[in-house]
Amino acid sequence: MAAHLKKRVYEEFSRVVQITHEEAPAKKLRLSKPSKSAALHIDLCKATNSTDALQYLLHFARKPVEVESVEGVVRILLEHYYKETDNSVRLKIASLLGLLSKTQGFSPDCIVDDAINTLNNEKSHQVLAQLLDTLLVIGTQLPESPTVRLRLIQMACKHLSDTYFGVRNKCLKLLGCLGTVDAPLTKDNEGADVRDVQTIISDYFGDQDPRVRTAALKAMVGHRHHLMYVCLQACRLLTDDYEQVRSAAVQMVWVLSQLYPESIVPIPSSNEEIRLVDDAFGKISHMVSDGSWMVRVQAAKTLGSMLQVSPHFLEQTLDKKLMSDLRRKRTAHERAKELFTSGEFSSGRKWADDAPKEKLDRNTVYLIASGACGAFVHGLEDEMFEVRIAAVDALSKLARSSPSFAEKCLDFLVDMFNDEIEEVRLQSIHVLREISTHITLREDQLDTVLAVLEDSSRDIREALHELICYTNVSTKECVQLALLELLKNLNKYPTDRNSVWKCLKFLGSRHPTLVLPLVPELLSTHPYFDTPEPDMDDPAYIAVLVLVFNAAKSCPTMPALFSDHTFRHYAYLRDSLSHLVPPLRLPGNGLDLVDSRCSSGSVESAQLFLQQSLNRVSTIQNLEAPGAQELLNFTIRDLQRLGELQMELAGAADFCATYLRCQLLLMKILEETYKLEFLYGGLESRQVATIHHVRLQAKALQLVLTARTRQGLDPLISSCEKFLQDIESFQRLFLAELPHLQDSFVDTLLELMPRLSSCKPVEMVKILQTTLRQSGLLQLRLPEQIHRATATIIEPTGESDNPLRFTTGLVVALDIDATLEHVQDPQNTVKVQVLYPDGQSHVIHPKPGDFRKPAPDRHRLITQVYLSHTAWTEPSQIEVRLLLAYSSSSTTSLSAPKLGWSDSVDGLQSPEAAVEGTIPFSKPVKVYIMPKPARR
């Protein structure tokens, strides 16, 4: 062995320096790194004790290993394993064997025999457990080798009798992952098959160690196609003394209910039968009262996913008293027969002595356990807020699938608005918002809901505003109550202005008939006397008008109740707050106040116009053709106007206009394409490929310009090599989309790729120039829906003429309040930019805690930026805007190779350098500031 090892080391190091002989007189040297196996062997030979060997192994584990070196490294590790006496070193070697087996491109079948041999000779329990884990990895990597899997399963069965719980756990895990239900594993003396994987695993449901019982349950879940016969055992483990076992049992019962929901199971101590999903629902409901809060959380979450349960079982979870239809009742014939056989008849001496008596006892209850009654009531009243949140979430999922259940759980969700934990209150509001389409609030319920508007938390108030936007109320008194409470909220918290206005917009549009009888009182009109004109600067009056105007859109008789100044106020608000005030046809003073936006036609006609515009420009074969640029300019103008007239198509129209503008502005194409890729959501792979295609055209044009304007060959060679890499990267990233790009610019380049790779830079530039001139316009296919990332700065408003004064050299805090729409990962992408009059620019990255999420696809940014500058002689304006940061590495990473067993990324090079930048996506707001000189 020693001689063989010396020879192997010599062969490894002989490749360190290789001399390549060529015909030319000059000789070249090629240096190569020594293999990982030789380096590891040298390190382990240098170790004087077990501690040094362990340090070398830990250092080695942090480095990547090439696929071709894995087998050599494994042999070195096994050789040292046989010689090592320290358990910790052998444990680390066993762990490294498992990690190396995961290396992509390496087949571990060559080390199966050695791994099994080490397992048979190992005495340490901890090392045995790690070796079993390594065998599991090897078996997982060899799914097409049933012989190897059978050997590994037999090794697991052999060590199931080990006294150490960790070994038994690993054996059960291996059986659960690699065992199959087709072939039995053991035979009796006569050769008859008697044991299979499920039987072996189920034997350990009663193991003395709770960790082993938990592992047995989790392993059995892996064989979910044959679980019916272990149902009773799983239910029995629901009452185990250890919470990990009960938690695993809950998971197993849930799996059973999802696989066999309609199976009929008998009820213990009864002749009745019940659906399996209903029985499992009752048992899991009982676990909501478990002694462990973690089990209670899991049980509550699990209930939310059991959507196939019968309605009467579902409703029982909201009542602590057992409902009459969930107990066994005898027929009148059975009761009469019992009276006849007992000889007891009414004597007439006692009042109502012949009334039917149906006493409820434990023997008559059969459908649902008594402890499961009111499961959600127990969950919502739990002392741990995590359980209450889980119960609220489960109610949400079940209520969305059952309108009748949504009606019944409404009172319970409203009660949760008064919870002491803000997170619970917020989650309850969000849940009620999700099921708002199924419910209508009564006046008493609405009163409880509106009481939350007094909450000091801004997130709570804004979530409640969002809830009221989509909630139905029953009477006009409810509308009036909601309006009064919202006006109180507006008076107490003026910063809620925009949220309150939006809330009243939806409240009016959803209840036009309830608002109609309130209009004279709300607008303070009189049939005979003129009333004073309200102040248009009053936010409360604007809130009332928003409510009334949105109700008037669906109620044509309402404008007859308006006074003259109401018409003028409508025209003013329609221009200043067009997103809150809808277009109306209001006859006032003989004039028809018709908003031009209401004549834009239906959405269908606008979609047809959009498609016709795209078809018209798709006929352009060459951008230099006569009239091509004029047609693109006119089409861009039409699309921009279409987006203004039809808000439903604003995203699609703006996306198409931006795409066509890229064809006209190839010099600025890179900036525009990054905007297309990162500012719009909902794009599919085909649209992203189209954007990258345009970007590739721009890079080709830049290469042509470089050849014409710059002197010297070296920069041109570097640019040509970079462009060839871009073509290869495009082909790798969008291989599936290439059939849709036939006869395009990139398709022509891929056909000419052999010529481009071998030609001179000057010739390559000529080819690109010709290809660009002959390239046509790609047909743009739109996905189902496109969202544009937008930001609206609410504060500062930019309307104040009073400068913000501060002493030079110090800082002043400027409050920023903005609404973000359709922004992905705003904590990492949204930045605040401050532009000073002298050209200085500061970019601030807000803290993650400054972002709130009041609704899906909407975020709220509430933060502070600190301003500082040298002394000025007079006040001046700064500009504040929001930027959206992007990085092209998110696209190029798609083609990066997957890492093997090591997490290291050393040596990996991206095929395209990541391009980072920012896109302004909010209108700038100007703020007056005045830095004053410091007093001496």
Side-chain angles (χ1 to χ4, degrees):
M1 179 63 70
H4 173 72
L5 182 60
K6 290 181 180 178
K7 181 180 178 181
R8 188 177 190 84
V9 174
Y10 175 80
E11 290 175 352
E12 294 289 345
F13 276 99
S14 64
R15 295 189 292 110
V16 174
V17 179
Q18 298 181 359
I19 303 178
T20 305
H21 298 279
E22 298 183 357
E23 297 179 0
K27 297 182 179 180
K28 298 182 179 179
L29 295 178
R30 185 178 65 186
L31 300 179
S32 63
K33 297 181 179 179
S35 68
K36 292 293 171 56
S37 58
L40 177 61
H41 176 73
I42 293 175
D43 288 340
L44 292 178
C45 289
K46 291 190 299 184
T48 57
N49 51 46
S50 300
T51 303
D52 292 342
L54 186 59
Q55 291 298 324
Y56 285 129
L57 290 173
L58 292 173
H59 180 71
F60 175 79
R62 291 191 288 266
K63 296 180 180 180
V65 178
E66 298 81 6
V67 178
E68 57 272 11
S69 302
V70 172
E71 186 173 357
V73 172
V74 169
R75 297 301 173 192
I76 297 297
L77 289 173
L78 287 172
E79 182 178 349
H80 191 79
Y81 179 92
Y82 293 131
K83 299 184 298 184
E84 184 59 53
T85 58
D86 187 84
N87 290 342
S88 60
V89 177
R90 295 204 311 278
L91 181 66
K92 184 59 182 177
I93 292 177
S95 175
L96 286 176
L97 291 176
L99 290 174
L100 287 167
S101 300
K102 297 180 183 178
T103 304
Q104 187 175 6
F106 172 70
S107 179
D109 54 353
C110 59
I111 63 172
V112 172
D113 293 334
D114 294 296
I116 293 178
N117 187 35
T118 57
L119 187 68
N120 290 328
N121 299 326
E122 183 58 55
K123 303 301 181 184
S124 170
H125 296 295
Q126 288 80 5
V127 181
L128 269 176
Q130 184 59 56
L131 286 172
L132 285 166
D133 204 26
T134 299
L135 290 181
L136 174 59
V137 173
I138 294 175
T140 306
Q141 297 296 317
L142 301 173
E144 305 298 330
S145 180
T147 305
V148 173
R149 294 167 68 95
L150 182 58
R151 291 183 62 189
L152 299 181
I153 291 173
Q154 290 173 347
M155 294 302 300
C157 294
K158 177 181 177 181
H159 289 86
L160 270 174
S161 58
D162 195 280
T163 57
Y164 180 53
F165 80 93
V167 175
R168 302 202 298 277
N169 281 358
K170 296 297 182 180
C171 291
L172 290 170
K173 184 178 180 182
L174 192 148
L175 288 174
C177 295
L178 302 183
T180 60
V181 297
D182 301 327
L185 301 179
T186 61
K187 300 182 179 181
D188 60 9
N189 296 330
E190 299 179 358
D193 298 331
V194 295
R195 302 296 300 278
D196 57 13
V197 172
Q198 284 80 14
T199 305
I200 293 174
I201 294 177
S202 61
D203 288 344
Y204 288 85
F205 285 175
D207 192 274
Q208 61 181 357
D209 194 299
R211 291 165 290 191
V212 178
R213 298 199 295 273
T214 303
L217 282 169
K218 292 181 179 179
M220 187 64 77
V221 171
H223 298 274
R224 52 182 61 182
H225 294 293
H226 294 264
L227 280 177
M228 284 297 292
Y229 76 99
V230 295
C231 179
L232 294 178
Q233 299 182 29
C235 295
R236 186 165 57 249
L237 290 176
L238 288 173
T239 59
D240 196 274
D241 293 337
Y242 293 87
E243 65 177 63
Q244 295 89 347
V245 180
R246 299 197 301 274
S247 177
V250 168
Q251 178 68 16
M252 190 171 179
V253 171
W254 175 82
V255 170
L256 280 169
S257 69
Q258 301 304 303
L259 292 175
Y260 314 102
E262 301 300 327
S263 298
I264 303 300
V265 295
I267 301 299
S269 304
S270 172
N271 295 327
E272 303 294 332
E273 293 180 335
I274 189 176
R275 294 166 68 228
L276 179 57
V277 65
D278 294 336
D279 185 52
F281 186 82
K283 288 180 169 58
I284 297 177
S285 296
H286 184 72
M287 301 305 292
V288 178
S289 303
D290 191 85
S292 168
W293 71 269
M294 298 183 66
V295 176
R296 298 200 298 272
V297 168
Q298 181 187 3
K301 290 181 178 179
T302 304
L303 290 177
S305 61
M306 304 181 71
L307 305 180
Q308 297 172 299
V309 67
S310 301
H312 48 279
F313 282 91
L314 201 57
E315 295 166 6
Q316 179 64 66
T317 58
L318 299 176
D319 192 351
K320 291 183 179 180
K321 296 180 180 179
L322 195 62
M323 294 181 180
S324 61
D325 59 350
L326 291 183
R327 62 182 178 178
R328 192 178 183 203
K329 294 184 292 186
R330 295 170 297 168
T331 63
H333 178 73
E334 292 175 333
R335 295 195 301 268
K337 182 179 179 180
E338 181 181 355
L339 289 174
F340 177 78
T341 55
S342 63
E344 295 181 2
F345 290 93
S346 174
S347 62
R349 296 180 181 179
K350 295 182 180 180
W351 174 257
D353 62 352
D354 58 346
K357 299 180 178 65
E358 288 188 87
K359 296 182 179 180
L360 183 63
D361 54 38
R362 297 183 61 181
N363 294 327
T364 60
V365 178
Y366 77 102
L367 285 183
I368 188 170
S370 58
C373 299
F376 282 123
V377 179
H378 292 296
L380 295 175
E381 296 175 351
D382 198 278
E383 62 179 351
M384 303 297 293
F385 80 92
E386 294 90 348
V387 181
R388 300 199 296 274
I389 290 179
V392 168
D393 289 338
L395 278 177
S396 169
K397 296 176 182 177
L398 294 171
R400 286 202 298 267
S401 62
S402 174
S404 61
F405 183 69
E407 287 282 352
K408 291 180 171 60
C409 69
L410 178 58
D411 287 326
F412 298 94
L413 289 175
V414 171
D415 288 341
M416 297 306 293
F417 286 11
N418 299 319
D419 194 274
E420 60 182 359
I421 302 297
E422 178 180 340
E423 186 178 352
V424 179
R425 300 198 301 272
L426 190 60
Q427 186 65 19
S428 303
I429 295 173
H430 288 324
V431 166
L432 197 57
R433 156 72 179 88
E434 293 173 357
I435 65 173
S436 58
T437 56
H438 302 308
I439 60 176
T440 299
L441 290 179
R442 303 188 307 269
E443 187 171 355
D444 60 313
Q445 295 170 335
L446 182 64
D447 191 30
T448 305
V449 170
L450 293 174
V452 185
L453 290 174
E454 299 290 333
D455 200 295
S456 59
S457 171
R458 187 171 189 167
D459 295 336
I460 294 289
R461 298 196 306 273
E462 292 188 353
L464 193 67
H465 296 158
E466 189 77 15
L467 167 63
I468 299 175
C469 287
Y470 300 97
T471 300
N472 299 316
V473 297
S474 53
T475 63
K476 66 181 181 66
E477 286 76 14
C478 292
V479 174
Q480 192 170 23
L481 176 63
L483 176 61
L484 292 177
E485 293 298 327
L486 286 171
L487 292 180
K488 291 180 182 178
N489 174 202
L490 185 61
N491 183 54
K492 186 175 182 179
Y493 301 103
T495 55
D496 291 354
R497 180 181 61 182
N498 289 279
S499 182
V500 170
W501 287 351
K502 177 191 172 186
C503 177
L504 289 171
K505 169 189 173 181
F506 285 92
L507 185 65
S509 61
R510 294 179 71 91
H511 307 90
T513 56
L514 300 182
V515 175
L516 179 62
L518 301 174
V519 170
E521 180 180 356
L522 296 179
L523 298 181
S524 301
T525 58
H526 194 275
Y528 306 114
F529 303 105
D530 286 337
T531 54
E533 182 174 349
D535 184 10
M536 277 302 298
D537 293 331
D538 184 9
Y541 177 62
I542 295 177
V544 173
L545 290 182
V546 168
L547 173 72
V548 172
F549 289 149
N550 281 277
K553 184 178 181 180
S554 304
C555 186
T557 61
M558 191 178 297
L561 302 175
F562 295 171
S563 57
D564 292 342
H565 60 259
T566 306
F567 297 122
R568 296 195 302 271
H569 295 170
Y570 165 78
Y572 171 75
L573 292 179
R574 180 59 186 149
D575 288 336
S576 59
L577 298 174
S578 57
H579 62 289
L580 295 175
V581 179
L584 300 176
R585 186 178 296 273
L586 301 178
N589 292 332
L591 298 175
D592 272 350
L593 302 180
V594 183
D595 194 290
S596 61
R597 275 166 278 201
C598 68
S599 60
S600 60
S602 64
V603 178
E604 291 77 10
S605 62
Q607 289 177 336
L608 179 62
F609 178 79
L610 175 62
Q611 191 59 47
Q612 290 175 345
S613 300
L614 295 177
N615 294 336
R616 185 169 59 249
V617 298
S618 65
T619 59
I620 300 176
Q621 300 297 329
N622 191 345
L623 291 177
E624 294 186 357
Q629 296 187 10
E630 288 78 4
L631 177 59
L632 285 177
N633 276 320
F634 289 141
T635 306
I636 291 172
R637 183 198 62 185
D638 293 343
L639 292 175
Q640 289 176 337
R641 185 58 178 163
L642 177 65
E644 296 174 358
L645 297 176
Q646 200 71 43
M647 297 303 296
E648 291 82 356
L649 298 177
D654 192 32
F655 176 78
C656 298
T658 306
Y659 170 74
L660 296 179
R661 193 180 299 114
C662 288
Q663 305 298 322
L664 294 174
L665 304 174
L666 279 177
M667 292 299 298
K668 298 182 179 179
I669 191 63
L670 296 179
E671 178 184 351
E672 294 292 326
T673 54
Y674 285 121
K675 182 185 297 185
L676 283 170
E677 185 174 1
F678 297 101
L679 197 59
Y680 296 88
L683 301 182
E684 300 171 353
S685 177
R686 188 166 180 180
Q687 287 80 46
V688 178
T690 304
I691 295 170
H692 279 253
H693 181 272
V694 178
R695 188 177 301 163
L696 197 63
Q697 288 178 300
K699 291 180 178 180
L701 180 59
Q702 284 185 336
L703 181 57
V704 173
L705 294 177
T706 301
R708 289 186 176 183
T709 57
R710 296 184 181 180
Q711 301 296 327
L713 190 59
D714 292 340
L716 183 59
I717 294 176
S718 177
S719 300
C720 290
E721 292 176 351
K722 179 64 171 61
F723 185 74
L724 291 177
Q725 293 177 3
D726 292 337
I727 299 176
E728 294 174 354
S729 175
F730 184 94
Q731 183 182 18
R732 183 166 52 253
L733 287 172
F734 304 106
L735 185 62
E737 302 298 332
L738 290 180
H740 304 294
L741 302 176
Q742 294 181 357
D743 300 328
S744 63
F745 173 75
V746 71
D747 188 50
T748 306
L749 290 183
L750 291 176
E751 293 178 356
L752 298 173
M753 196 62 182
R755 181 181 174 188
L756 293 174
S757 302
S758 59
C759 67
K760 295 181 179 180
V762 177
E763 183 182 359
M764 180 178 175
V765 171
K766 292 181 180 179
I767 295 174
L768 290 179
Q769 186 172 352
T770 304
T771 308
L772 277 172
R773 289 179 179 274
Q774 296 175 352
S775 63
L777 187 64
L778 281 181
Q779 178 72 21
L780 183 61
R781 301 287 185 181
L782 293 178
E784 294 183 0
Q785 195 172 17
I786 297 178
H787 299 292
R788 176 175 177 172
T790 59
T792 304
I793 299 179
I794 302 174
E795 293 291 339
T797 60
E799 300 174 354
S800 176
D801 294 333
N802 297 324
L804 195 61
R805 302 179 184 273
F806 61 96
T807 303
T808 181
L810 301 179
V811 297
V812 63
L814 178 64
D815 292 327
I816 302 293
D817 185 358
T819 301
L820 313 177
E821 301 280 351
H822 305 295
V823 179
Q824 301 293 330
D825 193 17
Q827 290 86 353
N828 295 322
T829 57
V830 175
K831 300 181 179 180
V832 182
Q833 183 186 42
V834 180
L835 295 175
Y836 291 93
D838 59 353
Q840 294 187 34
S841 174
H842 292 170
V843 177
I844 300 97
H845 198 159
K847 297 179 294 185
D850 294 338
F851 294 88
R852 280 89 167 169
K853 190 175 182 181
D857 294 328
R858 180 184 305 156
H859 291 81
R860 189 73 175 269
L861 172 62
I862 302 176
T863 186
Q864 286 185 333
V865 297
Y866 296 98
L867 311 176
S868 182
H869 210 279
T870 57
W872 295 354
T873 57
E874 60 183 15
S876 188
Q877 289 180 334
I878 62 170
E879 287 190 358
V880 180
R881 70 180 67 186
L882 296 183
L883 305 178
L884 185 67
Y886 65 86
S887 173
S888 64
S889 61
S890 59
T891 301
T892 58
S893 62
L894 294 175
S895 61
K898 294 183 180 179
L899 299 180
W901 64 278
S902 174
D903 293 332
S904 174
V905 294
D906 297 338
L908 289 181
Q909 294 181 354
S910 176
E912 180 183 0
V915 179
E916 298 182 352
T918 56
I919 303 172
F921 72 122
S922 74
K923 293 182 179 180
V925 175
K926 296 183 178 181
V927 179
Y928 268 102
I929 66 171
M930 177 58 188
K932 301 181 298 182
R935 296 182 180 179
R936 300 188 182 276

